[in-house]
Amino acid sequence: MSLLLNTDFLVVVSFVLFFAILYYFGVHKLLGSMLDKRADKIRSDLDEARALREEAQALLASYERKQKEVEKLAEEIVNRAAEDARAASAAGKEELERTVARRLRAAEDQIASAEASAIRQVRNEAITVAVAAATEVMRAKMSDSDAAGLIDAAIKETGARLQ
């Protein structure tokens, strides 16, 4: 009888009984499957991130190749301008200087245009990737009520800006 009055013994028995009930109903399997699903999701997210990174690296390499091609083209243009300058030296020094200056400006404009285009494309791709990643993160972490609240706030803000 004194054993039933011992609170430490009752706590131990209750604790063991609680875990026995959890084991009987298969809670450990449920927890294990939930953890496995979470691990699979994390693994797939990592694979997707790795694929996006490889795609971004490939895009960067492509833009670097384009930049080298433009630099080579600019070098060829400069070389052609120098050849034209030698050929035009008979026509006069003044005409030669105008031709070289015009071709250098064209080469610089072409290089600047190609650089601006490459930067714009990289930025656009980065924005697309960031928006996709943010969408996935928000979709995974945001509850339906939070999403509805954000949509309502965006509608109100749009209405306020249109007025």
Side-chain angles (χ1 to χ4, degrees):
M1 192 65 145
S2 68
L3 199 56
L4 291 177
L5 295 177
N6 186 346
T7 57
D8 292 339
F9 175 74
L10 289 177
V11 168
V12 168
V13 169
S14 299
F15 189 73
V16 169
L17 186 61
F18 174 73
F19 278 106
I21 290 171
L22 289 179
Y23 183 79
Y24 177 76
F25 285 109
V27 173
H28 64 287
K29 292 177 185 176
L30 179 65
L31 289 175
S33 69
M34 288 172 61
L35 289 174
D36 288 343
K37 287 178 186 176
R38 177 79 173 144
D40 290 341
K41 170 116 177 70
I42 290 171
R43 203 173 289 117
S44 70
D45 287 348
L46 287 173
D47 290 341
E48 182 181 344
R50 193 174 297 117
L52 289 173
R53 180 175 183 252
E54 289 171 1
E55 182 180 328
Q57 286 177 338
L59 188 62
L60 178 62
S62 169
Y63 288 132
E64 287 173 350
R65 277 194 307 273
K66 286 181 182 180
Q67 184 178 6
K68 288 178 183 177
E69 289 173 5
V70 168
E71 287 173 0
K72 183 178 178 182
L73 179 63
E75 188 176 323
E76 290 174 5
I77 290 172
V78 170
N79 290 339
R80 271 190 263 134
E83 290 173 12
D84 289 348
R86 283 186 220 106
S89 65
K93 186 177 181 182
E94 223 175 274
E95 183 62 31
L96 172 66
E97 289 174 2
R98 278 188 249 134
T99 301
V100 170
R102 184 177 67 245
R103 291 199 179 213
L104 284 175
R105 275 194 310 273
E108 289 170 354
D109 290 345
Q110 193 172 10
I111 289 170
S113 173
E115 282 181 350
S117 174
I119 289 170
R120 190 171 40 255
Q121 288 176 348
V122 167
R123 283 183 184 157
N124 289 342
E125 189 63 28
I127 289 170
T128 302
V129 168
V131 168
T135 302
E136 287 300 319
V137 168
M138 288 178 69
R139 189 176 292 136
K141 298 216 180 224
M142 188 177 295
S143 68
D144 290 341
S145 63
D146 291 341
L150 283 176
I151 290 171
D152 291 341
I155 290 172
K156 287 179 185 175
E157 183 178 338
T158 303
R161 288 188 179 187
L162 290 176
Q163 291 180 356

